[in-house]
Amino acid sequence: MDQDRVDNGLRRFESLCRERGLPLTVQRREILKALLQRDDHPTADQVYGCVKERITGLSRTTVYRVLETLVRLGVVRRLHHPGTSVRFDGKISRHHHLVCRKCNRVIDLENRSLDHLELSSMRLHGFQVEDYSVHLVGVCADCGRKSRPTS
Amino acid sequence: MDQDRVDNGLRRFESLCRERGLPLTVQRREILKALLQRDDHPTADQVYGCVKERITGLSRTTVYRVLETLVRLGVVRRLHHPGTSVRFDGKISRHHHLVCRKCNRVIDLENRSLDHLELSSMRLHGFQVEDYSVHLVGVCADCGRKSRPTS
DNA sequence: TGCCTAGATGGTAATTGTTACCAAAAAATG
DNA sequence: CATTTTTTGGTAACAATTACCATCTAGGCA
Ligand SMILES: [Mn+2]
Ligand SMILES: [Mn+2]
Ligand SMILES: [Zn+2]
Ligand SMILES: [Zn+2]
């Protein structure tokens, strides 16, 4: 867990809320904190699962709603990856993903060379690029071991 | 519409079916043809919408099932992108996508330099990469025009 | 500090995309 | 053709997400 990411994220969130007159609720803070502390890419339900112990009476609906708010504020990213339900990513700096086509796990990939792809020369037909990321699809280490037994 | 892609796709599909003893049904052929003819990234429901006119009595269930089969055969790709439902891509050669965060459109991006990223040097922690693609997120030309009126 | 009000939450019901199931229909095989 | 195997259509079940509304809370103000 990256304590700096947690602190910075929470601070940025609080100032954004003040800026826009959004009330700072326990639910919002705890849900964001939970996301910032993990470095996987949980679904709304998984977030609910780990936050409900800290906030008694937390509603699943609230989790969906708060996650939506956090995405709108730009402190969290929404991911669309295999496995039916939407995933959330507490890491908003540019990074890339390894996607396992067997277990649907999504693993962060940090790589400086991928962070600076030359896009300016592309024919984008008027599309305004704001960010990008590279998705590497394949089989993760765990799944690779399982399918090809200890050779 | 790229007639070669349609022809090649259908031919490949037919030989794969024979190989694996899968019956060649009208539904499978028409659904694949519809996907190969489009160069957007339709949902199952959109595919149903445009194929049902060609096959009377076509069931939505069949569309979902056939799309799944086509993905398993490797003649179409499943995409996970904004807008809740799964999208399908009839183009299976390596290519990239522009994703509009306003209208959720997904536009193909062909770019030679993106097709040959140097991955071998990366620390992949045992992940076996089979393919990759780059997602450029931003605002498409149409949406850009709308929000920032004719200046 | 104790009200007031806009906005947020919780709980339930509705909606939507997708899958399970099974009887009827269509392909392959010989 | 007759047989066997697999697919299809239709409906019911499911799961993720959203709509709704009564209740509650954060934040502003006396
Ligand atoms: Mn990530
Ligand atoms: Mn595509
Ligand atoms: Zn895996
Ligand atoms: Zn757009």
Side-chain angles (χ1 to χ4, degrees):
Chain A
M1 184 187 67
D2 180 345
Q3 190 59 49
D4 277 359
R5 191 168 99 196
V6 178
D7 294 342
N8 291 335
L10 282 170
R11 219 171 311 126
R12 208 161 95 73
F13 161 68
E14 293 181 6
S15 83
L16 278 167
C17 280
R18 252 174 257 121
E19 220 170 88
R20 311 201 187 184
L22 287 181
L24 259 157
T25 67
V26 197
Q27 289 84 347
R28 285 177 176 159
R29 211 176 343 234
E30 286 299 327
I31 287 170
L32 173 58
K33 183 143 64 107
L35 254 182
L36 292 170
Q37 284 173 343
R38 310 178 58 140
D39 51 7
D40 59 347
H41 305 84
T43 64
D45 227 54
Q46 291 173 321
V47 173
Y48 172 71
C50 79
V51 177
K52 73 165 175 230
E53 288 152 24
R54 228 155 291 180
I55 304 176
T56 44
L58 176 66
S59 157
R60 192 174 262 100
T61 303
T62 300
V63 176
Y64 278 99
R65 207 167 16 205
V66 166
L67 286 170
E68 167 65 32
T69 306
L70 297 176
V71 169
R72 230 183 23 244
L73 285 177
V75 290
V76 164
R77 287 256 168 79
R78 199 196 298 275
L79 292 188
H80 302 267
H81 271 303
T84 62
S85 43
V86 172
R87 317 277 198 105
F88 294 88
D89 195 340
K91 178 170 189 165
I92 54 174
S93 58
R94 178 168 298 169
H95 68 287
H96 311 283
H97 289 129
L98 301 167
V99 183
C100 177
R101 67 171 169 74
K102 295 210 168 174
C103 67
N104 289 341
R105 205 178 314 197
V106 178
I107 304 163
D108 278 347
L109 170 66
E110 302 280 356
N111 185 280
R112 303 296 305 279
S113 74
L114 292 181
D115 291 347
H116 304 289
L117 298 180
E118 172 56 27
L119 306 176
S120 58
S121 64
M122 295 183 192
R123 316 183 128 279
L124 298 174
H125 306 94
F127 191 98
Q128 292 286 328
V129 178
E130 296 171 350
D131 196 13
Y132 70 85
S133 77
V134 182
H135 298 221
L136 288 83
V137 180
V139 180
C140 77
D142 283 0
C143 291
R145 256 192 299 280
K146 274 174 216 154
S147 67
R148 196 185 300 169
T150 37
S151 56
Chain B
M1 184 187 65
D2 180 345
Q3 190 59 49
D4 277 0
R5 190 168 100 196
V6 178
D7 294 343
N8 291 336
L10 282 170
R11 219 170 312 125
R12 208 161 96 73
F13 162 69
E14 292 181 6
S15 83
L16 278 167
C17 279
R18 251 173 257 120
E19 221 169 88
R20 311 199 187 186
L22 286 181
L24 260 157
T25 67
V26 197
Q27 288 83 348
R28 284 177 177 159
R29 211 177 341 235
E30 285 299 327
I31 287 170
L32 173 57
K33 184 144 63 109
L35 254 182
L36 293 170
Q37 284 172 343
R38 310 177 59 139
D39 52 7
D40 58 349
H41 304 84
T43 64
D45 228 54
Q46 291 172 320
V47 172
Y48 172 69
C50 80
V51 176
K52 73 164 176 233
E53 288 152 25
R54 226 154 295 179
I55 304 177
T56 44
L58 175 67
S59 156
R60 192 175 263 101
T61 304
T62 300
V63 175
Y64 278 98
R65 209 169 14 206
V66 166
L67 286 170
E68 166 65 33
T69 306
L70 297 176
V71 169
R72 233 184 20 246
L73 285 177
V75 290
V76 313
R77 287 256 168 80
R78 198 196 299 277
L79 291 189
H80 303 267
H81 270 304
T84 63
S85 44
V86 172
R87 317 277 197 104
F88 294 87
D89 195 339
K91 178 168 189 165
I92 54 174
S93 59
R94 176 167 300 169
H95 68 287
H96 312 283
H97 288 130
L98 301 168
V99 183
C100 178
R101 68 172 167 74
K102 296 208 168 176
C103 68
N104 289 342
R105 206 179 313 196
V106 178
I107 304 162
D108 279 346
L109 170 66
E110 303 278 358
N111 184 280
R112 303 295 306 277
S113 73
L114 293 182
D115 291 348
H116 304 289
L117 298 181
E118 172 57 25
L119 306 176
S120 58
S121 64
M122 295 183 192
R123 314 183 129 279
L124 299 174
H125 306 94
F127 192 98
Q128 292 285 329
V129 178
E130 297 172 348
D131 196 13
Y132 70 85
S133 77
V134 182
H135 298 222
L136 288 81
V137 181
V139 180
C140 77
D142 283 0
C143 291
R145 254 192 301 280
K146 274 174 216 155
S147 67
R148 195 185 301 170
T150 38
S151 56

